[in-house]
Amino acid sequence: MELIKQTSSAQAVSDELTTLLDWTNIEALSGFTLIVENTGGGSGQNITDVQIDTSSDGGLTSQLDQFSSLFAAAIAPGTALRGTSITSAKWIRVRAVCAASQDTTANAWLMADSTLGRI
């Protein structure tokens, strides 16, 4: 696996969608693997949803939550979930959210098989 993009440090995640990885061009790839880790900062609550948005133009227009089945379970503090898709997209953005009045921190890593292509 080849690292494409990662959070520079754990990001605060609240009960409003928080961007973990901003728009990243992945059109040269035939799929991707995304790992989201709940590092348990803040009040250390579950991440209740991870949304992967897609765009054909770098975020000027977007389609929200396009890979909803990849992260269907909550991510508890101190754990990580991995999602893999062979569906291609030109651009993706990764966002996370906690339940109402809760917060935590999270890291994210976007990877691809190095044989699929390079960005």
Side-chain angles (χ1 to χ4, degrees):
M1 295 298 269
E2 180 177 338
L3 179 65
I4 304 300
K5 190 172 186 179
Q6 71 181 53
T7 51
S8 57
S9 61
Q11 303 292 313
V13 177
S14 69
D15 59 357
E16 295 183 16
L17 281 168
T18 304
T19 300
L20 299 178
L21 297 176
D22 212 354
W23 293 109
T24 302
N25 186 319
I26 64 164
E27 65 185 314
L29 306 175
S30 299
F32 61 87
T33 295
L34 177 66
I35 297 172
V36 176
E37 174 192 34
N38 183 341
T39 60
S43 60
Q45 303 296 318
N46 288 348
I47 294 173
T48 55
D49 191 20
V50 173
Q51 295 191 6
I52 304 170
D53 307 324
T54 61
S55 176
S56 60
D57 55 16
L60 297 175
T61 59
S62 60
Q63 298 76 45
L64 304 179
D65 202 13
Q66 294 299 295
F67 300 95
S68 57
S69 63
L70 291 184
F71 293 93
I75 306 173
T79 63
L81 283 181
R82 174 182 167 172
T84 300
S85 176
I86 57 171
T87 304
S88 60
K90 288 189 176 181
W91 296 81
I92 64 169
R93 171 180 67 184
V94 179
R95 299 183 299 159
V97 67
C98 290
S101 301
Q102 296 183 352
D103 64 274
T104 192
T105 57
N107 287 315
W109 296 269
L110 176 64
M111 298 174 292
D113 185 328
S114 60
T115 64
L116 296 178
R118 297 185 183 277
I119 293 180

